[in-house]
């Protein structure tokens, strides 16, 4: 079964702790993305990667970091520098390196920081 | 980067056709128009994409007038399961940034 997996589905952390969200895809897609969604809002792009070992900042990259050591994996670390980390985090991938290509989304991770 | 404007919410009844219009006045020559559907606590799902005139697939149609400053997503005979948020976005060919606005919340009633 091809697709994108994100784990865990729910994550709770104390303020001041870093936390890493997992994203894996077995679609053989080149491009991967991380978005953040706040209640009642649209998605905002955090980071994207067009190819292994390369990634670019999106619109709201401050307080986040990523790595792309393998084509299948694009983990996102929410650092203690992120002022309002509580949100719904979505990972996506696409076969092509442009946003005209269809993006396939994972089920999301809901992060709560208290 | 072209900004999109959509109605915040719409109501419909089962079996009706629903048309959601998106305004994108600043669309560039190379931009494509794409629509996604999102259910609560899930990731968005691609519905349809077009550049001009009309595109139809098994779930929806997309109408784009000649000036491309707007587009209309048409959902034929909606059911309760079509209750979701629908996002219109434009994506520049060769570009790598896009904006998901707040979307249109469609509520289908029995």
């Amino acid at each position: 079964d091809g697709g994108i997996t994100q784990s865990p589905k729910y994550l709770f952390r104390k303020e001041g702790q870093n936390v890493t969200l997992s994203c894996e895809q077995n679609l053989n897609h080149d491009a991967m993305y991380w978005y953040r969604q706040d209640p009642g809002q649209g998605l905002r792009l955090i980071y994207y990667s067009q190819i292994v070992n390369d990634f670019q900042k999106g619109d709201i990259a401050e307080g986040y970091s990523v790595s792309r050591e393998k084509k299948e994996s694009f983990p996102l670390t929410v650092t203690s520098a992120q002022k309002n980390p509580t949100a719904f985090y979505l990972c996506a991938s696409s076969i092509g390196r442009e946003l005209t290509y269809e993006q396939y989304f994972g089920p999301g991770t809901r992060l709560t920081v208290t | 980067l072209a900004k999109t404007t959509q109605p915040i919410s719409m109501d419909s009844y089962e079996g009706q056709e629903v048309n959601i219009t998106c305004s994108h006045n600043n669309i560039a020559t190379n931009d494509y128009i794409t629509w996604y559907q999102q259910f609560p606590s899930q990731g968005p799902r691609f519905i349809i994409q077009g550049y001009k005139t009309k595109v139809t697939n098994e779930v929806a149609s997309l109408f784009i007038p000649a000036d491309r400053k707007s587009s209309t997503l048409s959902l034929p005979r909606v059911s309760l399961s079509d209750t979701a948020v629908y996002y219109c976005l434009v994506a520049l060919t060769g570009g790598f940034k896009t904006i998901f606005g707040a979307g249109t919340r469609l509520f289908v009633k029995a």
Side-chain angles (χ1 to χ4, degrees):
Chain A
D1 234 359
I4 301 181
T5 56
Q6 291 185 246
S7 60
K9 191 168 178 64
Y10 298 96
L11 191 53
F12 298 89
R13 279 293 182 272
K14 295 288 188 186
E15 198 173 316
Q17 293 179 335
N18 291 355
V19 60
T20 297
L21 280 58
S22 167
C23 177
E24 304 278 332
Q25 54 101 357
N26 61 5
L27 300 167
N28 199 32
H29 285 174
D30 281 329
M32 297 186 74
Y33 318 74
W34 274 105
Y35 291 91
R36 169 187 171 133
Q37 187 172 36
D38 293 289
Q41 305 296 314
L43 282 68
R44 291 185 289 169
L45 184 65
I46 305 173
Y47 267 99
Y48 60 94
S49 169
Q50 297 174 268
I51 198 168
V52 174
N53 292 323
D54 184 61
F55 48 82
Q56 305 295 328
K57 292 182 180 180
D59 301 313
I60 55 165
E62 186 176 345
Y64 299 98
S65 66
V66 293
S67 63
R68 187 87 186 275
E69 296 175 2
K70 296 187 299 182
K71 189 174 185 177
E72 305 78 28
S73 178
F74 192 39
L76 172 75
T77 297
V78 184
T79 75
S80 56
Q82 169 49 231
K83 299 279 187 261
N84 298 296
T86 294
F88 187 47
Y89 290 88
L90 286 158
C91 178
S93 71
S94 63
I95 191 168
R97 301 173 189 180
E98 300 176 358
L99 282 168
T100 48
Y101 288 99
E102 175 182 347
Q103 291 185 56
Y104 293 77
F105 284 83
T109 292
R110 192 168 297 280
L111 173 65
T112 302
V113 177
T114 57
Chain B
L1 194 61
K3 183 181 182 316
T4 61
T5 304
Q6 305 173 234
I8 294 174
S9 65
M10 295 180 69
D11 287 347
S12 182
Y13 288 93
E14 280 191 293
Q16 288 188 332
E17 178 184 77
V18 170
N19 295 308
I20 306 175
T21 296
C22 178
S23 170
H24 27 79
N25 291 321
N26 297 326
I27 191 167
T29 303
N30 293 333
D31 283 345
Y32 276 72
I33 299 148
T34 311
W35 286 81
Y36 284 81
Q37 174 193 56
Q38 185 181 27
F39 297 113
S41 296
Q42 294 185 25
R45 185 182 67 163
F46 174 92
I47 301 175
I48 198 165
Q49 183 181 77
Y51 183 78
K52 62 180 179 180
T53 63
K54 178 183 174 183
V55 179
T56 298
N57 62 21
E58 63 275 8
V59 298
S61 294
L62 178 60
F63 299 93
I64 306 168
D67 67 4
R68 304 199 330 121
K69 292 185 184 299
S70 67
S71 59
T72 299
L73 174 72
S74 180
L75 304 172
R77 302 175 61 81
V78 294
S79 64
L80 297 176
S81 62
D82 292 316
T83 293
V85 178
Y86 293 83
Y87 296 98
C88 160
L89 50 143
V90 294
L92 174 66
T93 52
F96 218 79
K97 283 198 173 185
T98 188
I99 297 176
F100 279 82
T104 298
R105 294 181 178 276
L106 172 65
F107 186 66
V108 180
K109 296 179 272 192

